[in-house]
Amino acid sequence: MTRGVDLALHLVTDDRLPIDALPSVVDAAVAGGVTVVQLRDKRVGAAELIRRAGLLSDVIAGRVPLLIDDRVDVALAARDAGARIDGVHLGQSDIPPLTARRLLGADAVVGWTAHTPAHLRAAAALPAGTLDYLGVGVIRPTATKADHPPALGVAGFAELADAASLPCVAIGGVRPEDVGPLRRAGAAGVAVVSAICAAADPGAAARSFAHAVDAEGGR
């Protein structure tokens, strides 16, 4: 846990999911055991992202933290519009984490994508308290991120997690059966996109991951 946040099971929303289905999928996933929701959609503009952030804030109703992927401006604007936004997850090409921390405040959750030793060194060089966790992947190839780096597998993830100075969340093609090996490899949690968002029953899919987390003593 970090800043009181349970990192065990992240739902990252799939931008291929129709907007009219998004709230019900997120609601079911949270009820099924997701511990963090990250709104990610690179296909729409800021105004629409702010609207979607408000929808998800209403649906989640404070049950778990809501993070915005990439867009610190959207996180701030959605907060200004009354949404509960708990933080952001940033990529390597996004606004610097230190700037995000200053803008969002000491209580915000700030995650950063890291998939190379150089990324780990950059994270470790930041002042203490800048970052809360690292998103490390991909574990296996995934269609939800066409430009993803080479797949790490569990062994590659373990090497990075062992060298990291922050909790690491595994992402990229993660399946329920991967949770145990990844947790034993040092994962503070796992992040899931299509395995929940594209499931016929998102709540049941989330429960399958949550049960795998429970089996490792991770809740």
Side-chain angles (χ1 to χ4, degrees), residues 63 75 77 79 89 101 126 148 158 166 189 205 217:
R63 289 177 290 169
R79 279 182 173 182
H89 182 88
R101 172 61 66 199
L126 291 168
H148 65 69
L166 290 160

Side-chain angles (χ1 to χ4, degrees), residues 11 45 47 61 74 81-82 87-89 95-96 111 121 132 135 143 145 155 161 170 207:
L11 171 66
V74 168
V88 293
H89 182 88
I95 187 172
R121 290 192 294 271
D132 293 290
K145 192 173 177 61
R207 284 191 295 276

Side-chain angles (χ1 to χ4, degrees), residues 24 31 39 52 60 70 78 88 94 127 130 137 151 163 171:
S24 62
L39 173 60
R52 295 184 184 195
I60 293 168
D70 293 351
V88 293
D94 296 327
T130 302
I171 188 169

Side-chain angles (χ1 to χ4, degrees), residues 11-15 19 22 26 36-42 44 46 48-57 60 65-71 74-75 78 85 87-89:
L11 171 66
V12 181
T13 64
D14 192 338
D15 57 15
I19 180 56
L22 180 62
V26 169
V36 178
V37 173
Q38 182 187 141
L39 173 60
R40 182 171 79 182
D41 196 326
K42 301 180 186 297
V44 300
E48 178 60 17
L49 275 174
I50 294 164
R51 186 179 79 86
R52 295 184 184 195
L55 290 175
L56 294 192
S57 174
I60 293 168
L66 173 58
L67 310 183
I68 305 297
D69 180 72
D70 293 351
R71 301 292 298 270
V74 168
I85 306 298
V88 293
H89 182 88

Side-chain angles (χ1 to χ4, degrees), residues 1 5 16 23 31 43 45 88 95 124-125 130 135-136 140 145 147 174:
M1 298 180 72
V5 175
R16 298 171 299 181
R43 303 184 185 188
V88 293
I95 187 172
T130 302
V136 178
R140 60 168 57 89
K145 192 173 177 61
D147 60 345
V174 177

